[in-house]
Amino acid sequence: MGITREGRHKRRETGGRREKFRKKRKFELGRPAAMTKIGEKNIHTVRCRGGNLKFRALRLDSGNFSWGTEVCTRKVRVLDVTYNASNNELVRTKTLVKNAIVLVDAHPFKEWYESHYGVKVGIKKGQPSSTDEAEVKKSDKVKRKIASRQKNRTLEHAIDHQFASGRLLAKITSRPGQSGRCDGAILEGPELAFYQKMMARK
């Protein structure tokens, strides 16, 4: 028996049974879940109805993640799956699905932030701040530009703390089993606080 998406086996809204007047049809087919894992990139193409293609990611190790408040997107490595609201089994097996909460490498974002604002972030307590900034000479124009950016600069404490660990919490917003991509957004603000609370509860 193949996987099917039909709904004729269900009862009517009033509770009555429906007659079985036909068999399964090709246009009602379903396919097994991709269950995308973390690993070296491996994508299969699936030919669908109308000659369209789906890209079934079996393994992925990186994706484009966006930092919303700073309007910065970088391709980063996906390191681990930490939370999934729908099923804890998907966390245990490290399965990449839409809306899964993952840990990604923070270094590309950290490098961009430090060069854009000219400040060091993610410094651990007791760790002396490096004084090798003098080696890079900046023109007066660049200094003025960085000074103007500093006026409106704000960095959430929770994200600064994550920069120190070298990992950021992010949410997958693409569908790896359909598009073959693992793209998403960095968690921040109330959303980050919510998911940290949920993870602490486990």
Side-chain angles (χ1 to χ4, degrees):
M1 297 289 280
I3 301 169
T4 181
R5 295 179 298 110
E6 53 77 31
R8 285 174 295 99
H9 68 283
K10 304 283 255 184
R11 285 172 177 254
R12 293 192 176 90
E13 272 191 346
T14 52
R17 289 179 182 272
R18 284 201 181 119
E19 288 298 317
K20 294 176 184 170
F21 64 89
R22 74 170 197 207
K23 294 183 178 179
K24 294 177 180 180
R25 296 289 190 261
K26 177 82 160 72
F27 57 78
E28 294 170 339
L29 70 79
R31 297 185 184 87
M35 305 302 273
T36 311
K37 300 288 187 282
I38 298 171
E40 192 179 345
K41 187 174 171 182
N42 182 6
I43 298 171
H44 286 188
T45 54
V46 180
R47 195 268 187 193
C48 305
R49 189 169 164 85
N52 296 305
L53 291 178
K54 285 186 178 180
F55 299 95
R56 186 81 78 233
L58 304 180
R59 284 194 186 83
L60 287 172
D61 56 0
S62 62
N64 292 323
F65 284 83
S66 173
W67 185 0
T69 55
E70 295 295 339
V71 196
C72 169
T73 303
R74 291 289 178 272
K75 184 177 181 178
V76 291
R77 284 188 306 124
V78 177
L79 305 172
D80 196 11
V81 179
T82 56
Y83 181 74
N84 194 314
S86 62
N87 191 349
N88 284 332
E89 193 70 7
L90 299 177
V91 179
R92 191 183 64 78
T93 54
K94 300 188 193 308
T95 305
L96 300 174
V97 292
K98 185 176 177 175
N99 282 340
I101 306 302
V102 294
L103 275 175
V104 298
D105 184 21
H107 287 104
F109 290 107
K110 189 179 177 184
E111 279 175 19
W112 172 83
Y113 194 90
E114 289 176 351
S115 67
H116 188 73
Y117 289 108
V119 292
K120 289 284 177 189
V121 292
I123 298 165
K124 292 176 184 172
K125 278 188 178 177
Q127 180 184 329
S129 57
S130 56
T131 55
D132 57 354
E133 292 168 22
E135 68 186 35
V136 181
K137 288 187 178 178
K138 292 173 182 164
S139 67
D140 289 342
K141 186 181 177 183
V142 171
K143 285 176 184 173
R144 283 198 303 274
K145 192 193 291 183
I146 287 173
S148 69
R149 286 172 182 165
Q150 291 277 9
K151 289 174 189 172
N152 302 319
R153 183 182 80 85
T154 55
L155 181 64
E156 209 178 319
H157 173 70
I159 289 183
D160 192 25
H161 185 70
Q162 287 182 76
F163 274 140
S165 68
R167 296 173 173 204
L168 288 170
L169 284 170
K171 181 184 192 175
I172 298 174
T173 54
S174 67
R175 301 173 70 193
Q178 308 289 319
S179 65
R181 301 174 67 91
C182 181
D183 300 339
I186 301 299
L187 291 179
E188 48 191 337
E191 193 177 24
L192 173 60
F194 170 78
Y195 282 114
Q196 282 179 328
K197 187 174 76 177
M198 297 302 286
M199 283 185 266
R201 189 183 291 178
K202 280 202 294 181

